[in-house]
Amino acid sequence: MAIGWSGTCWFIPGPTWLTPTVLEGLAQPTMTHRSPEFKVVMAELHGRLRHSFALSPTTTEIGQQAQEGEDGYSVVVVSGSGTAAMEMVIANRFGPDDRVLVPTNGKFGERVAQMCENFTCVTHLKGEWGRAFDLGEIDSILSNGTFDGLAICHNETSTGITQDAPELARIAEKHGVSFILDGITSVGGLPVYPAEWKAEAVVVGGQKCTAGPSGISAVAISESYIQKMIKNREKENSSPVYYLDLIQALKKAADDQTPWTPSINLCTGWVAALREQDEEGIEKRWKRCESLAKGVRNMFTSLGFELFADENQRSNTVTAIFYPEPDWGEEWRRWMAVEKDTHVIGGQDHVKGRIFRVGTMGVTSREEMIEGCRRMIEGFRHFGMDLPPHDYLDVESYFR
Ligand SMILES: Cc1ncc(COP(=O)(O)O)c(C=O)c1O
């Protein structure tokens, strides 16, 4: 049967692969960051990022406050990877006297907790990797009325679990605490609704679901976040910020600029990626990710593989799968890269060598995924697994 894909199969959950159009977008001639040409880039970046965040649309026109919409949310571009944006959100908003609850079930949530420890008073509710949060426990902890924030990693890339954000949002609202999301591998790939969830801040990284370059990120912040940030920054004991001063960044964003020399070519590259996102349409992109992830989940489970994350909260942008044999798992992964030009990522920390993770984000197509799955099966056969032969295994049927 004809296969629609013959090249590299790239299923790393970020950085995702960059299309030729994005590479062209990156390769723009030098411009200064105070020029009208650059303001045009920033206005378009702001306007299109609002679509990634599912915020009220604005404009992509220069001088029209593209960063701020009717819903009261503003987007701000950050020169730095997602971690920088997350640090910006936490450091500007919370002081050492604020109490923030951080429930976690994987590596990136744990990083949120670690980061918060630098700036605020944290209660880290450290859960088992891949298990859903105990919402009752979160509700009960917040009910003592002493907390200011609930910060989560929305889509836990290390374990392939998506938190129940609507329910967490409801709990945060009930207790009047700020709801902050690391949406680094959810925004642009999964339904994320900052306004509906009354989230104070959501972070996205360029290199993940928006299929843009790495080293650039953005935040979406609400009016309430802005007011509370200003109050916090006026306090004598607020955390020192300079490069990541969000008040300055917000002011400059209103003029289609950034406070410091930004990663100019990453901005032009990201704009190109977001044009592709908008051509596809954000909801269609969410659907594509969902259908690819479902296919991966169904195919591997039907072949007898076990998935890592709790069943009802499996992510549509990354799937974590147990190796049938932990002993040769990582060797399989290297072999896949070298011999089959097919790239997946391994597990982190204590699950290193026990799981592999398949990304279904960015611009990965059905054809690429079908071909990649065929190659992975071939790889597992090569390593001695007893799997149905090609003729009997209709990989395509999982992706219809
Ligand atoms: C959910 C999540 N949060 C944070 C990060 C860190 O982002 P960055 O490496 O862009 O700083 C990652 C990276 O994979 C991630 O997946």
Side-chain angles (χ1 to χ4, degrees):
M1 169 161 285
I3 293 165
W5 195 267
S6 57
T8 302
C9 289
W10 186 265
F11 307 133
I12 305 294
T16 56
W17 64 273
L18 302 176
T19 66
T21 310
V22 176
L23 294 176
E24 216 174 282
L26 286 162
Q28 294 304 303
T30 306
M31 61 179 96
T32 85
H33 58 296
R34 301 293 176 225
S35 64
E37 294 91 317
F38 186 66
K39 286 189 179 190
V40 169
V41 174
M42 284 307 289
E44 185 169 354
L45 191 48
H46 288 145
R48 293 192 188 277
L49 275 169
R50 294 189 66 84
H51 306 158
S52 319
F53 281 108
L55 293 171
S56 64
T58 49
T59 168
T60 51
E61 298 298 313
I62 180 173
Q64 303 293 317
Q65 302 282 307
Q67 87 292 346
E68 187 184 355
E70 275 174 10
D71 53 15
Y73 280 80
S74 298
V75 293
V76 173
V77 174
V78 183
S79 281
S81 73
T83 307
M86 198 63 195
E87 182 161 337
M88 189 184 220
V89 159
I90 302 294
N92 283 272
R93 166 69 179 81
F94 298 111
D97 303 329
D98 291 320
R99 293 195 69 195
V100 178
L101 178 65
V102 187
T104 68
N105 49 14
K107 171 109 185 153
F108 293 105
E110 289 176 7
R111 274 204 203 158
V112 172
Q114 276 169 6
M115 181 184 291
C116 286
E117 274 165 21
N118 282 1
F119 303 101
T120 186
C121 177
V122 179
T123 298
H124 182 181
L125 190 58
K126 195 168 175 176
E128 201 184 324
W129 283 30
R131 300 289 74 79
F133 292 159
D134 180 340
L135 297 179
E137 193 179 9
I138 293 171
D139 190 20
S140 149
I141 294 173
L142 292 178
S143 70
N144 77 12
T146 62
F147 282 85
D148 303 279
L150 171 65
I152 61 159
C153 171
H154 179 211
N155 188 68
E156 186 43 88
T157 324
S158 65
T159 58
I161 192 162
T162 304
Q163 323 300 351
D164 185 349
E167 197 49 33
L168 288 160
R170 202 191 55 73
I171 295 170
E173 189 183 8
K174 176 175 151 196
H175 299 294
V177 304
S178 155
F179 187 35
I180 310 271
L181 294 93
D182 162 346
I184 289 170
T185 55
S186 59
V187 173
L190 306 176
V192 175
Y193 298 109
E196 207 171 285
W197 300 342
K198 298 191 177 69
E200 274 199 8
V202 185
V203 168
V204 66
Q207 79 278 25
K208 305 286 190 181
C209 304
T210 61
S214 48
I216 190 164
S217 54
V219 303
I221 47 176
S222 70
E223 275 170 341
S224 149
Y225 177 97
I226 295 169
Q227 283 164 15
K228 287 177 184 155
M229 161 178 73
I230 292 169
K231 263 199 192 145
N232 174 58
R233 292 281 307 282
E234 282 166 357
K235 289 183 190 159
E236 265 188 9
N237 67 348
S238 70
S239 302
V241 283
Y242 195 87
Y243 192 77
L244 296 179
D245 183 337
L246 189 42
I247 297 178
Q248 289 305 319
L250 198 58
K251 265 189 209 155
K252 283 293 188 183
D255 189 27
D256 305 317
Q257 293 194 61
T258 54
W260 328 116
T261 314
S263 35
I264 294 171
N265 287 59
L266 299 186
C267 293
T268 57
W270 206 5
V271 164
L274 295 175
R275 283 183 191 162
E276 293 189 326
Q277 164 202 273
D278 287 344
E279 263 166 41
E280 181 176 13
I282 191 73
E283 291 186 2
K284 278 200 182 147
R285 185 165 281 203
W286 297 343
K287 282 270 164 228
R288 175 168 51 78
C289 293
E290 183 185 344
S291 120
L292 293 179
K294 264 190 190 158
V296 169
R297 291 194 293 262
N298 291 340
M299 191 196 77
F300 277 103
T301 47
S302 76
L303 291 172
F305 287 76
E306 242 184 274
L307 304 184
F308 189 69
D310 269 357
E311 190 170 357
N312 52 355
Q313 278 181 232
R314 287 178 183 151
S315 166
N316 285 334
T317 58
V318 57
T319 302
I321 307 167
F322 279 104
Y323 284 122
E325 299 280 348
D327 293 346
W328 51 253
E330 285 300 281
E331 216 181 298
W332 169 84
R333 202 166 62 79
R334 277 189 292 276
W335 187 87
M336 287 303 301
V338 174
E339 299 295 329
K340 293 283 163 195
D341 197 10
T342 296
H343 307 261
V344 295
I345 202 109
Q348 294 164 290
D349 293 357
H350 62 281
V351 292
K352 192 173 167 63
R354 288 180 58 211
I355 61 168
F356 64 103
R357 293 173 294 145
V358 181
T360 46
M361 60 177 72
V363 289
T364 297
S365 65
R366 184 174 162 271
E367 291 71 27
E368 182 184 356
M369 203 74 240
I370 292 170
E371 174 59 14
C373 284
R374 285 191 174 128
R375 291 185 198 172
M376 283 189 261
I377 290 165
E378 221 178 305
F380 282 118
R381 272 203 212 97
H382 177 83
F383 276 73
M385 256 190 100
D386 187 17
L387 293 172
H390 272 313
D391 312 352
Y392 292 100
L393 189 65
D394 184 4
V395 172
E396 229 180 303
S397 67
Y398 293 97
F399 296 93
R400 280 191 191 117

